[in-house]
């Protein structure tokens, strides 16, 4: 066993003592929950230091019947464990002294051991020393869900499900859902039935399939799927087929064999079709829902079973309730009228929208594998053409083969045409680099644009202000400059000249410049990352602080560049093989910070220790001032540690 000890202050009358143990391969460490007459682990605090009021365990707790103890059921840990002791210090105590008295099984030999600790009482989390290992301050930010109650996980996930509805990935599925159920809900009774099946499918997929995939393939499995080239290309083809079908090229129908076997209202085809729509929602929306689900996936990988199940259920329940209403809505549409040109106009409009959305999935593949086919200006040109044609169609100047004549333009149709053309005009400046914050989550990264006037102006501003702010050292004065992956990756951090793409290289630069390091866990296909960059990081106040006072590292968790053979390894966190840069950054984020969601910003000191106990994830409010305060607090903590 190797132990690390640290403590943090909760309030004037309570402290938390962290005892993190690394277990040698082949050794089983017995749990603190075992009885006194059975092999166990105990944390003993000297009476002069205070009293322990409670202990919790973090790790993958296992059970088995042990023949060495007459088949008594034992509880034990392998690989790693963290004991968290809540302590009430004695009056006048200035340190926590005691020992971990533990028993471990190696082969058929039970080894009783003792590791002493002597931890100074801190005002905040501090390092301490012990005779079992060199102590270190906690690497783990305290915003993970692994030590929360089940009720907290459920309520947080339930609220997160409602927040996820307004993200681009989920919101863009609403038109497809409505159009899908328009065809299937001829009566209100059938609409209610279909809505129930759809809601139940969402809950089953998120709660059980998501949990099983995570347990089998690791915490990064769903994130990898969301950025997987094959998966994104498949959805590009599916949405393209939907678009062409709605535009009238052909009609998508179920195989006649299914129709003959089942009733049109409750057949196999109906159930499988609805389940498929729910599965589509679950997969393609993951890049937006990741900030909520990420902690639950990490929790699952760390050994909890009930926690991730409760969290997934809460999230999927919140997501299913509004979509149930969307599934019921088409039956009301059918009551208004079952035929007429307006229904076909809605269908064609959805076809244009799905065609635009299909390009987003193709763009995901293009960015992840660096094909450079859909650069930002090409993507924008295609969207301008698509929505421009949609506007012309809404005005009745473009007629498809199955359209009715439009003798006059209704006020409703005119309003939709105005909105569409307004959107087209809004996108046009993007051809010259305008940020387009409203749709930034859908667009390819700015680094792919050949001519970007906005980035040029920002670079000029950065050059003029270089050396300003509180940092003092100019960016171009860095001895260590980014080298790794600079020919492949492009910075999405506005106003920062030298952005690193490798953690170790960035840490070396931070030590050389004597500046804190801001870790930006991001992704090519991360919709929320692009939105946060354009809405918050592009603020002049934020740009100035990051440029002058921090070293910045953008760590892409979906980058497919292969690691050299001698740098590949098996993760100690979840046992998966780390073979590329994205998996390396995923493993770093999960193992060091207990997170698996993007974007995630966490400032660290020159030793890689967090400067803030909470990282900064995606903020739907996009509050620039709150992020500035977060950066200033990190700067103050860095100055305090490096007096």
């Amino acid at each position: 066993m190797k132990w690390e000890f640290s403590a943090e202050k909760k309030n004037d009358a309570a402290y938390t003592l962290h005892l993190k143990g690394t277990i040698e391969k082949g050794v089983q460490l017995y749990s603190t929950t075992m009885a006194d007459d059975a092999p166990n682990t105990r944390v003993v605090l000297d009476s002069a230091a205070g009293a322990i009021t409670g202990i919790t365990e973090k790790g993958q707790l296992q059970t088995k019947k042990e023949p060495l103890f007459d088949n008594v059921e034992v509880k034990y840990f392998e690989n790693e464990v963290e004991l968290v002791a809540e302590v009430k210090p004695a009056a006048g105590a200035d340190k926590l002294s005691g020992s971990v008295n533990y028993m471990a099984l190696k082969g058929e030999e039970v080894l009783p051991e003792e590791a002493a600790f002597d931890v100074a009482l801190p005002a905040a989390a501090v390092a301490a020393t012990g005779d079992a290992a060199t102590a270190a301050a906690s690497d783990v930010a305290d915003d993970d869900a692994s030590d929360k109650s089940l009720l907290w996980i459920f309520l947080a996930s339930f609220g997160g499900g409602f927040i996820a509805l307004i993200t681009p990935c989920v919101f863009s599925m609403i038109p497809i859902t409505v159009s899908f159920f328009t065809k299937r809900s001829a009566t209100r009774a059938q609409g209610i039935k279909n809505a129930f099946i759809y809601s139940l499918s969402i809950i089953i997929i998120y709660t059980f399939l998501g949990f099983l995939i995570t347990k089998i393939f690791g915490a990064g499995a769903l994130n990898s799927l969301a950025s997987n080239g094959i998966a994104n290309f498949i959805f590009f083809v599916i949405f393209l087929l939907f678009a062409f079908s709605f535009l009238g090229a052909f009609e998508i129908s179920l195989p006649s064999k299914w129709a003959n076997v089942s009733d049109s209202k409750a057949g196999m085809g109906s159930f499988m079709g609805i389940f498929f729509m729910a599965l589509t929602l679950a997969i393609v929306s993951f890049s937006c829902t990741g900030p909520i689900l990420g902690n639950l996936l990490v929790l699952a990988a760390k050994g909890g079973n009930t926690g991730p199940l409760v969290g997934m259920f809460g999230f999927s329940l919140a997501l299913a309730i509004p979509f149930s209403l969307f599934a019921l809505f088409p039956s009301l549409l059918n009551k208004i009228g079952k035929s007429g040109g307006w229904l076909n106009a809605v269908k064609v409009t959805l076809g244009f929208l799905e065609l635009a959305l299909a390009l987003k999935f193709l763009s995901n593949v293009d960015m992840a594998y660096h094909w450079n086919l859909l650069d930002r200006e090409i993507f924008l040109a295609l969207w301008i053409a698509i929505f421009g044609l949609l506007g012309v169609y809404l005005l009745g100047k473009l007629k498809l083969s199955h359209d009715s004549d439009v003798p006059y333009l209704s006020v409703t149709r005119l309003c939709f045409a105005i909105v569409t053309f307004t959107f087209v005009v809004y996108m046009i400046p993007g051809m010259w680099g305008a940020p387009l914050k409203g749709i930034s989550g859908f667009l390819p990264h700015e680094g792919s644009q050949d001519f970007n006037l906005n980035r040029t102006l920002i670079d000029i501003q950065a050059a003029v202000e270089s050396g300003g702010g509180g940092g003092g050292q100019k960016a171009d004065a860095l001895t260590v400059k980014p080298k790794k992956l600079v020919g492949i990756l492009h910075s999405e951090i506005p106003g920062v000249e030298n952005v690193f793409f490798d953690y170790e290289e960035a840490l070396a630069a931070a030590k050389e410049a004597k500046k804190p390091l801001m870790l930006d866990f991001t992704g090519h296909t991360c919709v929320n990352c692009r939105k946060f960059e354009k809405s918050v990081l592009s603020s002049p106040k934020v740009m100035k602080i990051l440029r002058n006072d921090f070293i910045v590292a953008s760590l892409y968790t979906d980058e497919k560049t292969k690691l050299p053979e001698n740098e590949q390894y098996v993760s100690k966190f979840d046992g998966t093989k780390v073979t590329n840069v994205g998996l390396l950054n995923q493993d770093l984020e999960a193992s060091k910070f207990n997170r698996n969601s993007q974007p995630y910003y966490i400032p660290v000191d020159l030793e890689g220790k967090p400067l803030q106990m909470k990282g900064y994830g995606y903020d739907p409010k996009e509050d620039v001032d709150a992020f500035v305060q977060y950066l200033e607090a990190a700067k103050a903590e860095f100055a305090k540690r490096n007096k």
Side-chain angles (χ1 to χ4, degrees):
M1 287 290 302
K2 293 182 179 180
W3 291 93
E4 295 179 357
F5 307 105
S6 63
E8 60 181 329
K9 183 177 181 179
K10 295 183 66 177
N11 52 56
D12 291 338
Y15 288 78
T16 301
L17 177 63
H18 297 271
L19 309 98
K20 301 174 70 173
T22 303
I23 307 171
E24 182 182 321
K25 187 176 182 180
V27 173
Q28 299 174 359
L29 176 74
Y30 291 111
S31 169
T32 61
T33 60
M34 294 291 294
D36 291 338
D37 58 352
N40 59 62
T41 295
R42 296 288 185 263
V43 179
V44 179
L45 195 65
D46 294 346
S47 58
I52 295 176
T53 59
I55 293 180
T56 57
E57 299 176 331
K58 295 183 180 180
Q60 190 168 353
L61 182 65
Q62 303 184 54
T63 60
K64 70 172 184 179
K65 291 185 177 180
E66 179 54 64
L68 293 176
F69 304 110
D70 296 326
N71 287 323
V72 170
E73 188 175 79
V74 297
K75 301 177 182 179
Y76 63 93
F77 296 92
E78 295 180 332
N79 301 320
E80 61 182 3
V81 67
E82 180 179 2
L83 307 179
V84 181
E86 302 299 327
V87 177
K88 182 179 181 181
D94 60 356
K95 63 181 180 179
L96 301 178
S97 301
S99 62
V100 183
N101 302 326
Y102 61 94
M103 301 180 71
L105 178 66
K106 185 174 184 179
E108 295 187 354
E109 182 180 8
V110 178
L111 307 173
E113 299 286 348
E114 179 179 329
F117 57 83
D118 191 17
V119 184
L121 288 178
V126 298
T129 58
D131 65 358
T134 301
S138 174
D139 284 345
V140 181
D142 70 354
D143 53 348
D144 65 288
S146 56
D147 61 347
K148 305 295 185 181
S149 69
L150 294 180
L151 179 61
W152 185 94
I153 292 176
F154 174 80
L155 293 177
S157 301
F158 187 78
F162 284 115
I163 294 175
L165 283 167
I166 63 174
T167 61
C169 304
V170 180
F171 195 78
S172 60
M173 291 294 294
I174 294 175
I176 301 170
T177 303
V178 173
S179 65
F180 180 79
F181 284 98
T182 298
K183 294 182 177 182
R184 293 183 174 270
S185 304
T187 66
R188 181 169 180 79
Q190 187 178 4
I192 294 174
K193 175 185 175 183
N194 289 341
F196 175 77
I197 295 174
Y198 187 70
S199 303
L200 185 62
S201 298
I202 290 176
I203 294 174
I204 291 174
I205 290 167
Y206 270 102
T207 304
F208 293 103
L209 295 186
F211 173 76
L212 289 176
I213 290 174
T214 302
K215 292 298 289 183
I216 296 172
F217 298 107
L222 289 178
N223 197 27
S224 298
L225 179 62
S227 61
N228 181 271
I230 297 176
N232 274 274
F233 190 80
I234 289 174
F235 280 102
F236 160 70
V237 173
I238 291 173
F239 277 67
L240 198 63
L241 291 175
F242 274 135
F244 287 157
S245 174
F246 287 166
L247 291 173
F250 49 81
E251 187 73 22
I252 297 177
S253 58
L254 294 170
S256 57
K257 183 187 297 184
W258 289 9
N260 293 333
V261 171
S262 59
D263 181 80
S264 61
K265 295 182 180 180
M268 176 67 74
S270 176
F271 174 80
M272 292 303 295
I274 294 173
F275 186 84
F276 171 78
M277 288 299 297
L279 182 62
T280 302
L281 169 70
I283 295 176
V284 304
S285 65
F286 191 77
S287 61
C288 288
T289 58
I292 301 298
L293 294 179
N295 284 341
L296 301 175
L297 301 181
V298 171
L299 179 61
K302 293 181 79 68
N305 289 321
T306 308
L309 280 173
V310 170
M312 291 286 191
F313 174 74
F315 184 89
S316 59
L317 180 63
L319 205 62
I321 291 173
F323 269 92
S324 299
L325 300 178
F326 297 143
L328 286 169
F329 180 67
S331 65
L332 300 179
L333 277 181
N334 288 331
K335 282 186 176 181
I336 297 174
K338 295 187 177 181
S339 61
W342 73 274
L343 279 178
N344 189 69
V346 170
K347 183 177 173 183
V348 172
T349 300
L350 293 173
F352 278 108
L353 293 175
E354 290 175 19
L355 184 59
L357 189 60
L359 291 176
K360 170 57 182 170
F361 293 106
L362 183 60
S363 175
N364 288 345
V365 183
D366 183 68
M367 288 188 292
Y369 291 92
H370 308 293
W371 293 346
N372 299 322
L373 298 176
L374 278 179
D375 292 346
R376 189 172 185 265
E377 64 267 39
I378 295 176
F379 186 95
L380 274 171
L382 288 169
W383 267 34
I384 289 171
I386 290 171
F387 285 97
L389 288 172
L390 173 58
V392 173
Y393 173 81
L394 291 172
L395 289 177
K397 302 301 181 182
L398 177 65
K399 182 180 176 182
L400 299 179
S401 59
H402 57 311
D403 279 326
S404 304
D405 290 329
V406 182
Y408 62 90
L409 200 62
S410 67
V411 174
T412 302
R413 194 158 178 162
L414 177 62
C415 290
F416 277 111
I418 292 173
V419 171
T420 303
F421 280 119
T422 302
F423 183 53
V424 171
V425 174
Y426 170 78
M427 288 191 289
I428 291 175
M431 297 292 292
W432 293 273
L436 303 181
K437 297 179 182 180
I439 58 171
S440 57
F442 287 96
L443 301 179
H445 55 79
E446 285 194 1
S448 67
Q449 189 152 353
D450 295 328
F451 178 69
N452 192 321
L453 182 60
N454 181 65
R455 182 58 67 94
T456 301
L457 293 175
I458 289 176
D459 291 341
I460 293 173
Q461 179 186 357
V464 172
E465 296 181 354
S466 181
Q473 186 170 358
K474 293 184 179 181
D476 57 7
L478 290 176
T479 302
V480 180
K481 290 193 175 183
K483 296 179 180 178
K484 293 185 177 181
L485 302 170
V486 292
I488 301 174
L489 300 177
H490 304 276
S491 168
E492 292 296 310
I493 309 297
V496 180
E497 180 182 357
N498 292 307
V499 173
F500 292 80
F501 304 107
D502 179 81
Y503 171 70
E504 296 296 339
E505 190 179 52
L507 191 61
K511 292 178 179 178
E512 180 68 26
K514 296 181 174 58
K515 292 183 178 182
L517 172 60
M518 172 58 74
L519 299 180
D520 161 31
F521 289 97
T522 184
H524 295 294
T525 61
C526 175
V527 174
N528 292 338
C529 300
R530 302 293 87 80
K531 282 182 62 64
F532 196 83
E533 289 157 1
K534 298 301 180 292
S535 60
V536 177
L537 300 191
S538 61
S539 166
K541 293 188 291 185
V542 175
M543 284 194 293
K544 187 173 183 179
I545 295 174
L546 290 179
R547 178 171 65 244
N548 296 322
D549 302 328
F550 285 86
I551 300 297
V552 182
S554 290
L555 305 178
Y556 283 81
T557 58
D558 55 1
E559 173 55 40
K560 307 301 182 184
T561 299
K562 288 286 185 182
L563 293 171
E565 288 288 341
N566 61 336
E567 295 182 16
Q568 297 181 12
Y569 65 96
V570 176
S571 169
K572 294 181 180 179
F573 178 75
D574 59 8
T576 58
K577 182 73 177 291
V578 176
T579 58
N580 61 40
V581 172
L583 294 175
L584 173 67
N585 292 330
Q586 282 186 39
D587 186 54
L588 173 68
E589 185 184 12
S591 60
K592 194 173 181 64
F593 304 109
N594 272 348
R595 296 284 295 203
N596 190 29
S597 60
Q598 296 81 44
Y600 185 66
Y601 304 93
I602 180 73
V604 299
D605 62 16
L606 303 182
E607 301 301 321
K609 311 296 183 187
L611 291 168
Q612 291 278 70
M613 289 308 293
K614 287 184 179 294
Y616 207 100
Y618 176 66
D619 175 16
K621 294 183 292 186
E622 299 175 350
D623 190 337
V624 173
D625 291 334
F627 193 65
V628 168
Q629 292 176 10
Y630 181 80
L631 296 177
E632 293 292 350
K635 285 170 52 182
E637 178 62 23
F638 181 80
K640 179 180 177 182
R641 295 186 189 182
N642 293 275
K643 282 185 178 179

